[in-house]
């Protein structure tokens, strides 16, 4: 190898290592990055380095717009309502985005793998809780009130809720279970599921 080629090779490796380090530094501390042991590992595990959005700019995994919603708000948002779908994620996404004229929708759906689908913009009103729709953001967690939701759902729901608390300048007391707001008819998302999300939100805020 000529000296020039060798020097170019060293420069390329240094540049790649620099990118990897910059990537590791700019990742939000919320998801601690395993320290890579080699450049090859950086390239293998992170083929497209992306800076994670800060909490103030939460980005849903996908947008799948619902039909049933009312544009805008008639009240200030001061509640974030947690639900479980009591059905499969695909069934819930299909139902919540295809219902039309039934006043059935929610702002977000959290899949078991942690993917978050935005179905109604939180600036608009969704139909997910009797009597509280104008003032609330509704989050449907795919699952059942009497079964544990996944750890990914707990983590990602807490990230979303933390973002909403910041955006609307609310305290964690604004987080409500559907069962608290409509106790005679609803049991979701279940006490244990609700408490796991609250604990994760408080951990987020105390970091
Ligand atoms: Zn509900």
């Amino acid at each position: 190898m000529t000296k020039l080629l060798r020097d170019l090779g060293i420069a390329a490796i240094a540049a790649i290592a620099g990118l990897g380090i910059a990537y590791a530094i700019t990742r939000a501390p919320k998801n601690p990055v395993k320290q890579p042991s080699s450049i090859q590992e950086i390239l293998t595990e992170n083929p497209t380095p992306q800076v994670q959005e800060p909490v103030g700019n939460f980005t849903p995994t996908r947008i799948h717009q619902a039909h049933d919603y009312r544009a805008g708000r008639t009240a200030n948002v001061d509640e974030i309502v947690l639900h479980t779908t009591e059905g499969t994620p695909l069934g819930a996404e299909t139902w919540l985005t295809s219902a039309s004229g039934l006043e059935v929708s929610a702002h977000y759906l959290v899949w078991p793998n942690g993917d978050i689908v935005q179905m109604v913009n939180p600036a608009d009103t969704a139909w997910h809780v009797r009597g509280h729709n104008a003032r609330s953001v509704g989050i449907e967690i795919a699952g059942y009130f009497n079964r544990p939701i996944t750890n990914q759902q707990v983590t990602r729901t807490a990230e979303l809720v933390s973002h909403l608390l910041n955006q609307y300048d609310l305290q964690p007391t604004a987080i409500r279970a559907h069962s608290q707001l409509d106790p005679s008819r609803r049991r979701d998302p279940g006490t244990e599921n609700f408490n796991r999300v609250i604990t994760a939100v408080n951990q987020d805020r105390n970091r």
Side-chain angles (χ1 to χ4, degrees), residues 83-84 128 140 178 186 188:
H83 305 259
T84 43
H128 58 97
E140 290 277 1
H178 193 186
R186 301 294 178 170
D188 66 296

Side-chain angles (χ1 to χ4, degrees), residues 18-113:
L19 279 175
I21 291 163
Y23 167 63
I25 289 171
T26 50
R27 284 279 298 223
K30 197 153 293 181
N31 294 324
V33 179
K34 180 168 72 75
Q35 288 302 311
S37 59
S38 69
I39 291 169
Q40 193 55 47
E41 191 173 317
I42 294 171
L43 294 175
T44 303
E45 294 192 354
N46 305 299
T48 311
Q50 290 179 338
V51 177
Q52 182 169 335
E53 295 288 345
V55 164
N57 294 309
F58 183 86
T59 305
T61 313
R62 291 186 283 124
I63 292 179
H64 187 174
Q65 181 63 44
H67 287 289
D68 267 5
Y69 69 95
R70 185 172 60 208
R73 294 279 189 177
T74 57
N76 290 328
V77 171
D78 64 359
E79 290 178 336
I80 298 166
V81 183
L82 301 183
H83 305 259
T84 43
T85 57
E86 309 305 315
T88 66
L90 184 59
E93 182 168 338
T94 303
W95 167 240
L96 290 167
T97 54
S98 63
S100 186
L102 299 174
E103 300 194 344
V104 171
S105 57
H107 295 93
Y108 297 99
L109 173 66
V110 186
W111 279 64
N113 68 356

Side-chain angles (χ1 to χ4, degrees), residues 10 15 18 21 29 47 65 135 139 156 160 175 178-179 188-189 197:
I10 290 170
I21 291 163
Q65 181 63 44
R135 60 190 285 189
I139 301 172
R156 289 285 283 159
L160 171 58
I175 309 167
H178 193 186
S179 56
D188 66 296
V197 173

